[in-house]
Amino acid sequence: MKKLLVAALICLSSLAQAQLTSKQEVAPELVEKREAQKKEITNNYLALKNSLVVSDSLAVVANAAALQNSLKNFKFKKLNLDQMNHATTTRKEIIDLAAQVTTTKNINKQRKIVELLSVKFWDLAPKFKAADTPLHLQVCPMTGAMWISDSKEIKNPYYPKNMLTCGEVKASL
């Protein structure tokens, strides 16, 4: 009986060790794939914002669709249940807002939608951000409108004709 118990403990111990090792060692190609997904999401958001800066409503539609598609395939990692629920709900809201952007070519309507989208995107930016891309939360003090940029230089996407350089960096990742 003792031998059987010792054998069972040895098996359980080695099984637990194998699981621990497999969780710690993530395949480099999976890390690269995930980083590529983050970079795609980040770049799609930045392209959407930059399209607003130059008032190109057709590019806004294309970039919103690209953001929508890249977000659909993203899986969150290392979150507890509450964090996972919040993250997936917020991602769905961003996808829905991006879909709304694609339904209009009116640049002012697009700007209003992206203003909401940017607030939600910043909420999840730490999870979406590519490792090699700094992100800065920028705010227009006159309107309170927020956007995210990869540069500290202010280029206001909501009022590019009147207030292109109106804004300030409020936070950075």
Side-chain angles (χ1 to χ4, degrees):
M1 182 70 174
K2 263 186 170 177
K3 286 183 180 180
L4 185 59
L5 187 57
V6 169
L9 285 173
I10 291 172
C11 285
L12 284 175
S13 169
S14 57
L15 179 63
Q17 185 62 40
Q19 284 181 331
L20 187 64
T21 304
S22 69
K23 285 182 182 176
Q24 289 172 342
E25 296 172 11
V26 178
E29 58 273 5
L30 293 177
V31 172
E32 286 176 24
K33 181 182 177 193
R34 184 162 180 75
E35 199 55 34
Q37 282 182 315
K38 288 178 174 185
K39 191 173 221 42
E40 182 182 2
I41 291 168
T42 301
N43 288 343
N44 287 337
Y45 171 85
L46 293 171
L48 173 61
K49 186 262 309 173
N50 291 334
S51 299
L52 290 173
V53 171
V54 296
S55 299
D56 184 344
S57 66
L58 296 177
V60 170
V61 169
N63 291 317
L67 177 61
Q68 189 180 3
N69 289 332
S70 61
L71 284 171
K72 285 180 182 176
N73 301 322
F74 186 78
K75 304 278 188 265
F76 294 102
K77 305 275 187 209
K78 299 179 184 171
L79 301 176
N80 67 34
L81 184 60
D82 288 341
Q83 292 168 329
M84 182 65 78
N85 287 338
H86 173 73
T88 52
T89 300
T90 304
R91 178 186 55 200
K92 171 134 178 37
E93 291 169 349
I94 295 169
I95 290 169
D96 292 347
L97 288 166
Q100 286 178 36
V101 172
T102 65
T103 64
T104 182
K105 289 182 179 65
N106 180 312
I107 195 80
N108 293 323
K109 287 181 182 176
Q110 290 172 333
R111 285 187 169 111
K112 282 290 178 205
I113 298 166
V114 172
E115 197 175 325
L116 292 171
L117 185 150
S118 293
V119 171
K120 304 242 179 238
F121 193 90
W122 181 254
D123 187 29
L124 294 180
K127 293 166 184 53
F128 293 150
K129 186 182 103 46
D132 62 350
T133 308
L135 291 180
H136 308 283
L137 177 64
Q138 299 177 338
V139 178
C140 176
M142 297 176 75
T143 65
M146 294 174 33
W147 66 94
I148 301 152
S149 180
D150 57 344
S151 165
K152 287 187 176 185
E153 180 185 358
I154 302 295
K155 289 192 178 176
N156 189 325
Y158 306 121
Y159 305 99
K161 288 184 179 152
N162 308 344
M163 299 188 281
L164 179 64
T165 58
C166 178
E168 58 190 350
V169 175
K170 284 290 189 181
S172 296
L173 292 175

